[in-house]
Every structure is written in C-alpha cells, then in structure tokens.
Amino acid sequence: MARGYFLKELPPPFTSKKFAGSISDIALEWTAHQTALSATQRRSYPPTSQCARFDMARKGHSRRILSVPNPVSQYYLVDFIAENQDKFEDISGISKISLTPAHIRMDGSRAVSMEKLSVLGEKRIQAYANARAILQTDILSFYHTIYTHSISWALHGKKVAKRNRNKADPAVYGNKIDALMQACQDGQTKGIPVGPDTSRIISEIILCAIEQQIDSRIFSRMIAGYRYVDDFFLCFSSHVDAEAFLSALRDAVQSFDLQLNASKTRILNSTDFNEESWPGDIAQLNISSNAKDQRRDLIRFFTEVIRLSKAWPDESIFSFAVRKTSRRLVRSENWDIYEPFLLRLARENSNCLDSVVKILCTYAAIGYSFGGRIKAFAESMIEEHAPYNHHFEVVWVLWLCRSLSIRLGERATQLVSKVENSLCGCLVLMLRSRGLLTGRGAVSDWTGSVTKEDLFGEHWMLIYESGIRKSWNLPGAVDAVNDDPNFRILRDKKISFFDSSATNVALKLPSIDKLLEERLDTRRSATLPGAVYVESITRREERHYEKLGEDYGVEVASWALPSDLFNIEDSHDIDGPE
C-alpha cells in the first residue's frame, strides 16, 4: 500500500504512506463496520467504486490512461492478494522467459520490482547471437483488454473456473480476485487499472498461464529470448520454428480473449536485426565542466538531440537526453542556454516534463536565478494541455508553480480550474489556498455540491481531501466524509493522500552537498527555493538524492548504454553558482 498503490508518475504531494502506516487499525474498524451490515450488504462489500483517472504522456506523442483506485476497494484487493502471495510467486516463477516476475520486495522504489529497461539491449545481443530468425510481438492494449474473469482461468484453468463461479469458495479463489478487481473499477469486467502493482501481479499470472498453453515441443524450438511484461523477443534456428511458435502464441493469447498486436508482430532474419543507433549517438556527446567549453557543448548536444528526434519521432529521445544532462552541473553563466533548451524539449515532447521540473527545482535550490521565461512556459503549457485533459502535464506544471512560487494569470487559472480531474483539482485547490492563482475560476464549478456517494466515484480523492481541510471549500465535501463510515474512519485516523507540505528531493549533481550547505548558511535545516528541503545535520553519506532514470519504469529507449559511456564524471571540484 505504501509503494505499490499510487502512480510513480505523480508529483511529491500524492502519497499513500500515511494510509499504509495505519492500515492495520483502519482495517479493524472497516471490518467492524462490515460486520454490522446486513447479510445482503455484506455480500456486496467493499462497495463498487471508480478509479481516479490520469491521462499520461508516453514516448513519442502517444498517451495512456492510468488509474488510482479507491482506497477502500484497493485495500481489500491488496489484502486478498497478500493472503495468496506465495501461490502467486510460485506461479510467476514457472515462466522460462519472463524478465518481469511478480515478486514483492521490501526494498526498492516499488513493491513489485522489475528489470530495468536498460538491460534489454544486452539481453537481445546475447539472445540472437546464434539465431537465424527473431520473433517480436506484444499484446494489443494488454492491461486495457484483460477480461477480469480470465484471472480465475489463469489460476484454476478455464473449465474449472467456468464450472465454479462462487467467489466465496477458497478452492477457486481466483473468483474472489475477479470480484475485488471489478469492485475497483465500477463493476467493469474489461480491463484492469494501469498503475497499481496489484495489476502487475495479476497481469504476470495471466501471461504465465498463456505461456503454459503453448505445447512444450513448440516451446523447445526457441533457442533464446525473453518476455518483458507482454513484450516478446524470441529467437529461433529457422523461420519455420518462429512461425510455429507465433501460431501457438496467437492461439494461447486468444484463449484468454486477448490478441496480439499486428502492427508490432514480425519475424525477421537475425542478420537484418540491429539495435537503434540514437542512444549511442547521444551518449557520445560530452558536456564539459569548463564554463566556455560547456556552453559550446550544450548547444551542440541539444542541437543534435533535436535533429535525432526528427528522425526517430516515436522514441523517448528528449527524455533520454534530459536525464543525461541531469548528471552534469551546468555552470551559472550557461544557464541562459540550458534553461531555454530544457523548456523547448518539455514543450515539444512533454513526457520529459517531470524530469525538467525536478532539474529546475534543484537549480533553484542551489541559488540560480530565473527570469519570466518559466512563468511564460507554465502558462503556455496549461493553455496547450488543459483543454485536452492532459493530466500529466497539468499536475507537473502546477507543482512547478507551487515549487517556484509562480502566480498564474487569469486565463491559465480559468483553464486549470475547468480540468475535471481529481488529481489536478487537488493541486488547483492547494495553489488557490497559497495565493498562486488569479481571478475567478473554481473547481466547484464542475463538481457542484457533492454527497457521500461521490466518495466512491471518479473524484474520490478531491472530495475526501476537501472534506478534511478547512481551506478547501468544496460544497458538500465535509458532510460527505462525515456521512460515510469508511472515509470517516480515515479522517479520524488523520489519513491524507495529499501532503500540502511535501517538498522536492534534490538531484544528485556533482558537489550537490557543498552547494546546498552554502545555501543553508548557518541554518541547520530549511526549505530552499524550488521547495527542496535540506538538513545540514544529516551526514553527507546518509543524505538522499534522486538520480533521474534510476527507477524501473522509465521509458528511456529500446536500447540503452552502460553508465560509463555517458562521459559525465562526478567531479567534485566544480564551482557553484556565482
């Protein structure tokens, strides 16, 4: 619940840690409430709910809808999966080719760890060395087309699951998971929420079951390869063997009411396959620490990155490039070059926006001064993305405004206030309470007056957070929380899913300790510009800094290079801002 519930793509204020920390006490009170219900009501508990939607920018210019399930529904799903964790991990371990087994870990940034995408290039090189044919494919809209009844098919077999649909029968416990998953998404049987680690576990179980549908004699024809979630890269001694496997895989996928993605399915000669060249082209571009040379290098670096993006429009080139620059300290005299390039990349391909925001906040913390360019950027991004409900861009721009104390103008205020989204709405109300919005425009214009039933609708987070805060004036929210026993318990335990006091974590720049300590001056701790919290009393080796691209889910490239090829050394003799 702490590291596998909320989306990793969200800004710092969104957190489930308080919820997770008190979950045992909360569960006891929820159970007591459930026990007091009538027999009919108990059978339909937890209540059916809707997820908060989050429209996410992906590589190229594609998008995907992610979800944050209702906490009541999500808890019961997580609890039941935890009861059967050993069974799931045993099933997940059956796969001969999966690089993404659904193992729950106590360390790492997510509860269900995954192999980093950066290793896939090496895996491919090793796999096709002795092959003559390569099969590449994936499942079309995988998470969005999973049939929830197929969860039970995967765990117990299709015949058994169809013969016994009793969700209370422990022998066919997949039916209970099916029902709990439906409860998370308004009773829908098509698709599962994208984002929570519960969906990672369930999807891996289904994929392992798909593999088991393929005859062992067909499977034995594969000489090497892997599956990364639903992406297959498989190698064979001949085209005939590859065709036979593809036919068997297609039948296995269809037996779970899924289908392969025709546009991404191909069999090719191994001699015709090669890794994409653009990551290597970018990796060879050095960024000097010398001020004069660095200025020239930055211009050359970004010019080449922009050129490559035109040749590879469907790849995350900007995201890859921005993360590379985050490992070099850009000198203050070169900020007038670096800043506009960052803003241009974020404007042209917004899937790198979160990285750009983190970079800007870190440089604000070490004392770099910003002009009006960033405010103009924020307002233009809102004008471009808010009307189309691009939630990822809106939440990160609003968090940028909060971090840098940027006051949005009247037009931008009106536009963000009209975005009918729970996550965006929380940030709008926070900015309004901090005086960072201008003129008219209120979230209540589209929510109207809410009731306790709305706490199980799409905007549950916005309504609950408004109901526990005096400064967020959403009509009906306080009464809604008072009237619903599930959320009243959360309020009484002082649970919040939105931390208005959240701060940023500085990036791991060269000499970052020294630079931040200089900004602290004689203070032991402070929240610096950029909303970066710093403590001088913490030993340097124990301080936490973020490295962009370190988390498992970063869509960087289909092929990546070892870090020592980036030509970005962690120098500790670089001067800070003047």
Side-chain angles (χ1 to χ4, degrees):
M1 297 304 295
R3 295 179 293 111
Y5 176 18
F6 276 16
L7 310 174
K8 60 183 176 54
E9 293 86 358
L10 294 174
F14 297 97
T15 175
S16 60
K17 290 184 179 179
K18 286 185 178 179
F19 180 46
S22 301
I23 196 63
S24 297
D25 292 340
I26 293 168
L28 285 174
E29 296 199 32
W30 278 347
T31 300
H33 163 64
Q34 181 183 5
T35 303
L37 298 173
S38 67
T40 302
Q41 290 173 320
R42 285 198 299 271
R43 282 194 292 271
S44 58
Y45 192 89
T48 297
S49 61
Q50 292 177 274
C51 297
R53 293 179 302 112
F54 188 71
D55 185 284
M56 174 69 192
R58 300 184 69 203
K59 65 180 181 179
H61 294 280
S62 61
R63 307 194 70 84
R64 169 182 276 186
I65 298 296
L66 308 183
S67 301
V68 182
N70 189 283
V72 182
S73 304
Q74 183 68 6
Y75 163 71
Y76 282 96
L77 175 62
V78 169
D79 185 53
F80 193 73
I81 287 177
E83 287 181 20
N84 295 278
Q85 177 182 340
D86 291 343
K87 299 174 187 175
F88 290 153
E89 297 214 357
D90 289 344
I91 295 171
S92 183
I94 292 174
S95 174
K96 300 175 183 177
I97 59 174
S98 176
L99 296 181
T100 52
H103 297 324
I104 299 173
R105 295 178 53 181
M106 296 304 292
D107 57 351
S109 61
R110 296 294 292 188
V112 179
S113 61
M114 288 177 65
E115 190 79 78
K116 291 182 180 179
L117 285 170
S118 57
V119 307
L120 298 189
E122 294 177 6
K123 295 285 186 183
R124 284 192 292 270
I125 292 169
Q126 294 163 1
Y128 65 75
N130 294 318
R132 292 187 177 180
I134 296 172
L135 166 61
Q136 289 183 287
T137 188
D138 68 11
I139 298 176
L140 182 65
S141 301
F142 178 48
Y143 282 94
H144 297 290
T145 57
I146 288 176
Y147 187 40
T148 62
H149 293 340
S150 70
I151 299 168
S152 192
W153 302 352
L155 291 170
H156 313 294
K158 202 168 186 177
K159 289 183 180 179
V160 172
K162 287 199 168 189
R163 191 165 54 243
N164 185 349
R165 301 178 185 271
N166 182 4
K167 68 179 183 179
D169 187 347
V172 193
Y173 62 92
N175 290 334
K176 179 70 175 293
I177 299 175
D178 175 11
L180 290 170
M181 180 59 75
Q182 290 181 50
C184 286
Q185 51 185 29
D186 202 24
Q188 295 295 316
T189 59
K190 183 177 181 180
I192 61 176
V194 182
D197 283 2
T198 45
S199 294
R200 269 283 302 117
I201 294 169
I202 289 168
S203 67
E204 186 66 20
I205 296 302
I206 292 173
L207 288 162
C208 288
I210 287 172
E211 290 180 30
Q212 293 298 303
Q213 295 286 310
I214 301 173
D215 190 283
S216 59
R217 292 169 296 180
I218 298 294
F219 227 113
S220 65
R221 298 188 188 186
M222 183 186 69
I223 62 174
Y226 64 78
R227 171 175 59 76
Y228 189 91
V229 190
D230 65 312
D231 290 315
F232 293 82
F233 183 91
L234 309 175
C235 301
F236 302 85
S237 298
S238 69
H239 275 254
V240 172
D241 289 344
E243 290 283 1
F245 195 99
L246 175 59
S247 177
L249 178 60
R250 184 179 287 116
D251 290 344
V253 167
Q254 289 176 348
S255 72
F256 283 83
D257 287 359
L258 300 166
Q259 59 180 308
L260 295 181
N261 188 343
S263 66
K264 294 186 178 180
T265 300
R266 59 177 183 164
I267 296 174
L268 66 160
N269 293 326
S270 60
T271 54
D272 295 332
F273 183 85
N274 197 12
E275 304 293 340
E276 293 172 354
S277 61
W278 63 262
D281 295 337
I282 295 175
Q284 292 174 7
L285 298 172
N286 184 42
I287 300 176
S288 173
S289 61
N290 176 271
K292 184 177 180 181
D293 293 339
Q294 185 182 83
R295 190 174 188 86
R296 177 203 61 210
D297 289 345
L298 285 170
I299 295 173
R300 183 168 64 98
F301 176 87
F302 284 108
T303 301
E304 181 64 11
V305 165
I306 293 168
R307 184 190 69 80
L308 288 168
S309 72
K310 308 302 181 186
W312 303 86
D314 295 326
E315 297 296 338
S316 294
I317 292 177
F318 284 176
S319 182
F320 185 77
V322 166
R323 290 182 172 102
K324 175 181 175 178
T325 68
S326 71
R327 303 178 194 180
R328 159 68 66 211
L329 178 67
V330 173
R331 300 288 293 268
S332 59
E333 54 263 51
N334 294 326
W335 183 252
D336 64 326
I337 291 294
Y338 185 47
E339 181 197 72
F341 270 126
L342 288 178
L343 300 184
R344 173 179 174 174
L345 266 57
R347 191 176 66 249
E348 291 188 18
N349 198 323
S350 55
N351 77 325
C352 67
L353 176 60
D354 54 341
S355 295
V356 169
V357 170
K358 293 173 183 179
I359 291 171
L360 293 174
C361 292
T362 298
Y363 278 93
I366 62 175
Y368 283 45
S369 60
F370 301 158
R373 189 183 285 120
I374 293 180
K375 179 179 179 179
F377 163 78
E379 295 191 333
S380 68
M381 288 289 285
I382 287 171
E383 290 181 12
E384 181 176 352
H385 294 282
Y388 299 100
N389 293 314
H390 291 171
H391 307 141
F392 174 77
E393 289 85 348
V394 172
V395 298
W396 277 102
V397 167
L398 292 178
W399 178 243
L400 175 66
C401 293
R402 152 69 182 92
S403 298
L404 299 182
S405 299
I406 295 172
R407 192 166 191 261
L408 292 173
E410 189 167 351
R411 175 167 171 74
T413 296
Q414 290 177 349
L415 287 172
V416 295
S417 300
K418 292 178 181 178
V419 179
E420 298 185 16
N421 178 261
S422 186
L423 307 175
C424 298
C426 286
L427 282 159
V428 169
L429 290 176
M430 180 181 70
L431 262 64
R432 175 69 75 186
S433 68
R434 290 176 173 269
L436 295 176
L437 298 181
T438 303
R440 312 173 91 180
V443 167
S444 57
D445 291 343
W446 57 265
T447 61
S449 184
V450 298
T451 65
K452 67 176 184 178
E453 285 76 21
D454 293 314
L455 284 167
F456 291 90
E458 180 183 339
H459 306 301
W460 66 265
M461 185 187 295
L462 176 64
I463 296 167
Y464 174 69
E465 295 298 326
S466 298
I468 63 174
R469 286 174 165 82
K470 293 181 180 179
S471 60
W472 291 16
N473 186 20
L474 190 67
V478 172
D479 289 338
V481 174
N482 285 336
D483 294 342
D484 182 82
N486 300 283
F487 282 89
R488 188 169 64 244
I489 290 167
L490 292 178
R491 181 203 61 192
D492 293 345
K493 297 294 182 184
K494 301 187 184 307
I495 303 303
S496 173
F497 299 97
F498 186 89
D499 183 2
S500 296
S501 63
T503 55
N504 290 303
V505 176
L507 298 180
K508 181 62 176 176
L509 293 174
S511 303
I512 188 65
D513 289 304
K514 176 185 175 183
L515 295 170
L516 292 175
E517 287 168 4
E518 289 175 353
R519 299 301 298 172
L520 277 178
D521 197 12
T522 58
R523 295 172 292 181
R524 300 180 67 183
S525 65
T527 299
L528 300 175
V532 173
Y533 179 74
V534 181
E535 284 184 337
S536 62
I537 56 176
T538 304
R539 296 169 58 186
R540 285 188 173 185
E541 57 269 23
E542 296 176 355
R543 296 175 191 173
H544 172 62
Y545 298 107
E546 184 173 356
K547 293 182 180 179
L548 295 183
E550 290 293 302
D551 60 304
Y552 74 83
V554 173
E555 291 185 278
V556 179
S558 58
W559 182 74
L561 296 170
S563 59
D564 58 354
L565 291 183
F566 279 119
N567 293 324
I568 298 183
E569 58 279 356
D570 274 340
S571 173
H572 292 280
D573 57 355
I574 301 173
D575 294 332
E578 295 178 356

